[in-house]
Structure formats: C-alpha cells, structure tokens
Amino acid sequence: MKRFSVRQSLSAMKVGTDGTLLGALGGDLALRQKAARILDIGTGTGLIALMAAQKTEPLHAHIVGIETDHASFEEARDNVLASPFRDRIEVIEGDFLHYLAEKPFDLILSNPPYFTATHGSEDERRTLARHFGRLTPFSLLLKSSEMLGDDGRVMMIFPTNILGDFSAAAERAGLRILSQTMIHTTPRKSPKRVVATFGHKGDSSHLERLSSEDGACSLPSEETLTILDELGAYTPGYRALLSPFLTIF
C-alpha cells in the first residue's frame, strides 16, 4: 500500500481482491455521503478501515473496526497504530451482534463470510472467518439496520450467486438494495462478485424507475467494473479505483 502497511501473518483472513475493492468503493461512497462515522464489520487486518480512513481524510471521518478473532484484532490494532490514520481509527475486539455503539453510523462496510459449512478449510480460524455461522445475511443486515443513521448506507461484497439471499434478508431487515456493482474478472466472464449498497426502505436514492402495466416499480441502479481487459492488463477503471492505494499503479 502507498500510504500504510498491512501485516497479515496473524489474521485469519488475508488481504485479497474482495477487500481492496470494498475498501476503495466504500471510501468513494463515504466521500459522496460525507460520512462522519464508518463501521467496518470483521475488520481482519484492518485493511478496509485503513482504506476508508485514507479516502475520508478531507472529512476527518471516525472509523471503527470490529473483529471477533483475537489474533486478527491484535494485528489490525498494530496496523492501525503504525499508520498515519491512527487518530481516526478505533479497533474493537468483540462480536458485532453484541456491539452497542454510542451513535449511529453513516456508513457500514463488510466483506462478510459467505461459505456454508459444506465448504471446509484446514485452518479452523480461516474457516470460521469465511462461514456464516451465527452471522447470517439476515442477522448481519438486521443488526446493521439498527446501527445505521436515517440516511446511512451499508455496503458489502459477496458472490453473485447469493445476491438473492442478501436481497431477501435486506427486505426482512427493513433495508433494500439501492445500487449494485457487478465485478467481472475479464470482459468475457460472468460476474462472480457484486458490491451491493443497502439503505432504509424509504430511501429511493439511486433507484431506477421502470414502468409496467401495473405502474412504476423501483429497481437498484447497476454498474459494471471489469478488472482485466482482453489482453490481461488492468482496465482503466480498475486502475483509477485502486491507484490511490496499490503500489503496482
């Protein structure tokens, strides 16, 4: 990273494409929303919290990263303390479902666990970090909705094949998908990841209006981000998104 370092020898989940995409897109959303308070659920190494802090430097936003795994918490805390954003990031060890915040958040970010128990892993901590367990789409979104300000947003990244699960869970939790960015590895491949932004049901921001015989209905706005072009080079859109962070750009 250009402005901070991320150690990851202890963390259950390592730095990957999903986290960097969410950190960059979440930071951009925080700027547009003028977010003063941001929560990173399952902060891991602290990567997403650190990227959000870098992006929101003009806003001087306060970021909280919460992590249940003790070793990951310690590493995230150390990464934050070694960064130029240490005064704006608070790392908490604990269970998100039991977390009580003093004030609502303007933006909640999460790269949630999304594998079911049938997808095993030799590393038990990594398995726990990647499995739903008690943190199901519904419990995650319900708790998020309770901690969100009236005009707040929740942004998550997950596989496209469980988009329906999260959409249904959001409906039950009093939220709705306002926008979604479909992530393509290459132009010819179907998207394997989606970055979805949720808001309270009464919030119609970013929704597209489609008319039908039964009247108008609202659908989430949709964008596309492709990582590699036909020749295997990073696309201009991906480079522009990640160039403030990655040293390869």
Side-chain angles (χ1 to χ4, degrees):
M1 295 292 173
K2 291 180 178 178
R3 296 195 55 195
F4 57 86
S5 299
V6 177
R7 293 193 304 161
Q8 54 178 347
S9 60
L10 301 177
S11 297
M13 290 299 296
K14 310 304 182 185
V15 172
T17 302
D18 287 6
T20 53
L21 282 171
L22 183 62
L25 290 169
D28 285 348
L29 178 59
L31 280 180
R32 294 196 300 272
Q33 293 293 114
K34 295 181 172 56
R37 285 175 52 79
I38 301 169
L39 175 65
D40 174 24
I41 304 170
T43 197
T45 61
L47 171 71
I48 293 170
L50 286 161
M51 293 178 73
Q54 179 178 324
K55 268 288 186 178
T56 58
E57 212 165 11
L59 303 175
H60 207 71
H62 178 72
I63 295 116
V64 176
I66 187 166
E67 174 59 53
T68 187
D69 179 72
H70 180 68
S72 300
F73 156 74
E74 288 190 324
E75 195 156 62
R77 179 196 59 197
D78 291 345
N79 286 334
V80 166
L81 289 175
S83 78
F85 315 113
R86 64 182 70 86
D87 294 336
R88 295 196 292 114
I89 303 177
E90 178 185 2
V91 183
I92 296 173
E93 182 178 11
D95 185 338
F96 168 65
L97 296 181
H98 296 153
Y99 175 48
L100 299 176
E102 295 180 358
K103 299 177 181 179
F105 289 95
D106 304 302
L107 176 62
I108 296 176
L109 302 172
S110 181
N111 177 11
Y114 47 74
F115 292 126
T116 63
T118 57
H119 296 78
S121 169
E122 295 179 0
D123 184 330
E124 183 180 358
R125 287 174 55 238
R126 188 166 185 266
T127 299
L128 289 172
R130 293 171 70 86
H131 285 27
F132 278 133
R134 291 189 308 111
L135 201 62
T136 63
F138 175 65
S139 64
L140 180 60
L141 288 167
L142 180 63
K143 179 67 173 179
S144 296
S145 70
E146 294 170 354
M147 305 185 74
L148 203 62
D150 292 340
D151 298 320
R153 298 285 186 273
V154 180
M155 179 180 275
M156 298 180 180
I157 185 168
F158 45 80
T160 53
N161 64 357
I162 56 173
L163 176 57
D165 295 336
F166 274 88
S167 180
E171 189 73 18
R172 291 175 59 203
L175 300 172
R176 67 190 305 174
I177 297 180
L178 299 178
S179 65
Q180 50 198 39
T181 301
M182 311 305 290
I183 308 297
H184 296 253
T185 306
T186 65
R188 295 182 182 273
K189 290 186 177 180
S190 300
K192 295 296 180 65
R193 294 288 186 273
V194 56
V195 177
T197 302
F198 303 84
H200 291 293
K201 280 187 178 179
D203 189 342
S204 60
S205 303
H206 307 297
L207 290 171
E208 295 177 345
R209 304 292 298 183
L210 294 181
S211 60
S212 67
E213 292 181 359
D214 298 326
C217 63
S218 297
L219 294 175
S221 64
E222 185 171 312
E223 296 181 353
T224 297
L225 176 65
T226 304
I227 298 175
L228 300 172
D229 63 20
E230 295 280 8
L231 300 178
Y234 290 114
T235 63
Y238 185 77
R239 293 175 66 92
L241 180 67
L242 276 302
S243 61
F245 305 101
L246 301 185
T247 56
I248 60 173
F249 298 136

